[in-house]
Amino acid sequence: QVQLVETGGGSVEAAGSLTLSCAASGRVDSSYCMGWFRQIPGKDREGVAAIDMDGTTNYADFVKGRFTVSKDKAKNTLYLEMNNLKPEATAMYYCAANFWCGSMWYEALRYSYWGQGTQVTVSS
């Protein structure tokens, strides 16, 4: 049984910071590719950042330089540090995992496992 549990969402003012966490259990371990996605109602889920099985990190252009994805292997936990948040970052954020990601890390269909999501709201 695979379980991904996100925490850390909340409300913050523009230019503020939040750090999301995703605790993984079950089959998913540090050898998996893990990523963060976000979704607003009526829109497709979009890739935010991912860290592949070899430690390679990838970011969407709209978060480069402001967000950092990392993984604590000992805790089997994925993090997303979000700085200088903008109102357009308001969305439900999801953690996802797959045994492999590759260059198409931003495609949601590549991921086998998903968390339940955590809401991030950025006010102007």
Side-chain angles (χ1 to χ4, degrees):
Q1 184 76 11
V2 171
Q3 204 170 20
L4 301 175
V5 180
E6 303 99 331
T7 55
S11 297
V12 65
E13 292 186 353
S17 299
L18 279 175
T19 296
L20 306 182
S21 301
C22 171
S25 61
R27 179 187 280 174
V28 175
D29 59 24
S30 60
S31 68
Y32 273 59
C33 169
M34 297 185 73
W36 290 99
F37 286 74
R38 68 186 189 187
Q39 188 172 27
I40 60 175
K43 297 287 187 180
D44 290 338
R45 202 166 286 191
E46 61 179 356
V48 176
I51 184 164
D52 214 331
M53 41 198 290
D54 63 356
T56 301
T57 55
N58 292 286
Y59 296 93
D61 287 343
F62 54 81
V63 302
K64 281 181 180 177
R66 298 186 297 115
F67 289 15
T68 302
V69 62
S70 61
K71 185 192 298 185
D72 185 327
K73 292 183 179 181
K75 295 181 178 180
N76 211 16
T77 298
L78 181 74
Y79 301 97
L80 183 68
E81 180 183 348
M82 305 184 292
N83 297 311
N84 191 19
L85 281 162
K86 302 177 181 181
E88 51 264 39
T90 295
M92 185 71 79
Y93 283 71
Y94 296 90
C95 171
N98 196 56
F99 70 93
W100 178 76
C101 289
S103 60
M104 308 289 272
W105 63 271
Y106 49 86
E107 289 197 349
L109 289 175
R110 285 183 168 255
Y111 292 80
S112 299
Y113 306 107
W114 291 87
Q116 82 291 347
T118 185
Q119 177 68 35
V120 171
T121 302
V122 184
S123 58
S124 58

